[in-house]
Amino acid sequence: MRKIWPNSAVLGGMVDAKGTSHGKSFVLHARFVDVGTKRDGKWQVIFTQIRNAA
């Protein structure tokens, strides 16, 4: 999902990740949303939320 305005945007979706943290393996299936704004002509993420979807 995405919604874009002239100077702001919202992007949401799903992410699958796996890796190692502090020597322990992990698998993550999550939903996320990023909110961005255009500052001085460049896009910048100003808010991110992620929630485990499992």
Side-chain angles (χ1 to χ4, degrees), residues 36-48:
T37 188
K38 195 180 275 189
R39 293 183 178 165
D40 298 322
K42 296 180 182 180
W43 285 100
Q44 180 179 10
V45 175
I46 58 170
F47 176 80
T48 297

Side-chain angles (χ1 to χ4, degrees), residues 3-10 36-39 41-43:
K3 179 68 179 171
I4 302 171
W5 297 274
N7 292 309
S8 60
V10 177
T37 188
K38 195 180 275 189
R39 293 183 178 165
K42 296 180 182 180
W43 285 100

